[in-house]
């Protein structure tokens, strides 16, 4: 039987405090993400991502729409943070990432209490969605929550646009890294997400995550305890780029990482501004990517059904954000 205690259980109080201090320093003239926009976050100045001084939460719930090792039987304990370092034209969470949806400012202690409350609901993990710009508050929140009885793994659910310095602060705190790997070509990242260096940062970040967390480790029930699970959303017309991403992962990290291939792309937000993105995936292009993934031989791989592109679209203005099936 595999028994793994979350890394934060063995982190000393002084190590937590030191990480928080270093994270605060990074946000003084903010360089928490590769944009390094220099915003004086500690003095309340909002950054290019939109985040200010205090952590904010847009929504939290037990979520049943994540990959099976995360949602399990009782759901992933998702905490959705507003704002984002990327400006993706097709963002499914645009109501909270780019627009002025509901946001609740809160202290690190209150954020820690949300984590404990989710655990009391029986979730398998704490799934931090778009967390990077709030890393200082998250470090303090996990510290506070650990002291209040938090015992489930921490999942870092990120767009993949990360710096080595910020990831290093998360060593010993994050158990499961869940990064997107959106683009292998810088031109695609610039066109759709507004940054010219996504691929370089994402590759470096995903390798650093792997060094910290290793292959995906599941417990005897198949629930994620530790490791790396990479997500890739296939975009219409970009099958070759998808296959380049698969090849990179296999060559650099091997085939025992977790891999989630997603078909849920559907045009939303500003996608209509790009004619090539203004359609869903077609069967032939998704099949081509799936075949490539299967030939690569990943041993822990989840492949979404093509029909799922309507199911996973959130509406953060609705009480059941993911509909009744995924928000039980
Ligand atoms: S996290 Fe936000 S404030 Fe900090 S560097 Fe990135 S965009 Fe700027």
């Amino acid at each position: 039987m595999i028994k793994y205690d979350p890394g934060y259980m063995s982190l000393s109080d002084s190590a937590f405090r030191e990480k928080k201090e270093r994270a605060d320093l990074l946000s003084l003239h903010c360089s928490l993400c590769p944009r390094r926009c220099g915003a004086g976050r500690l003095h309340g100045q909002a950054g290019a991502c939109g985040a200010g001084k205090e952590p904010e939460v847009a929504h939290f719930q037990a979520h049943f729409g994540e990959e099976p090792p995360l949602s399990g039987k009782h759901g992933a304990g998702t905490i959705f943070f507003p704002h984002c370092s990327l400006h993706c034209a097709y963002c499914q969470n645009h109501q909270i990432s780019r627009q002025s949806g509901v946001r609740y400012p809160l202290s690190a202690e209150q954020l820690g209490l949300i984590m404990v409350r989710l655990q009391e609901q029986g979730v398998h993990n704490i799934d931090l969605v778009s967390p990077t710009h709030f890393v200082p508050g998250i470090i303090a929140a996990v510290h506070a929550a650990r002291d209040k009885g938090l015992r489930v793994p921490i999942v870092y659910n990120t767009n993949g646009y990360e710096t080595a310095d910020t990831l290093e602060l998360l060593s010993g705190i994050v158990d499961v890294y869940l990064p997107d790997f959106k683009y292998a070509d810088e031109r695609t990242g610039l066109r759709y997400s507004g940054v010219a260096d996504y691929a370089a940062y994402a590759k470096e970040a995903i390798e650093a995550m792997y060094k910290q967390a290793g292959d995906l480790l599941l417990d005897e029930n198949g629930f994620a305890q530790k490791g790396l699970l990479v997500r890739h959303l296939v975009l219409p017309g970009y099958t070759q780029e998808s296959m380049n991403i698969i090849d990179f992962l296999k060559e650099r990290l091997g085939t025992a990482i977790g891999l989630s291939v997603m078909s849920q792309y559907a045009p939303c937000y500003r996608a209509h501004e790009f004619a090539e993105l203004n359609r869903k995936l077609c069967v032939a292009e998704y099949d081509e990517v799936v075949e490539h993934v299967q030939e690569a031989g990943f041993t822990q791989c989840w492949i979404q059904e093509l029909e799922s592109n309507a199911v996973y679209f959130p509406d953060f203005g609705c009480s059941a954000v993911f509909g009744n099936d995924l928000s039980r």
Side-chain angles (χ1 to χ4, degrees), residues 26-27 29-39 41 45-51 84-85 132-134 161:
L26 288 181
S27 58
H29 303 285
C30 196
S31 60
L32 283 167
C33 87
R35 279 189 185 267
R36 294 185 169 90
C37 71
R41 298 272 308 278
Q45 186 184 3
C49 58
C84 187
S85 56
T132 310
H133 38 286
F134 291 129
Y161 193 52

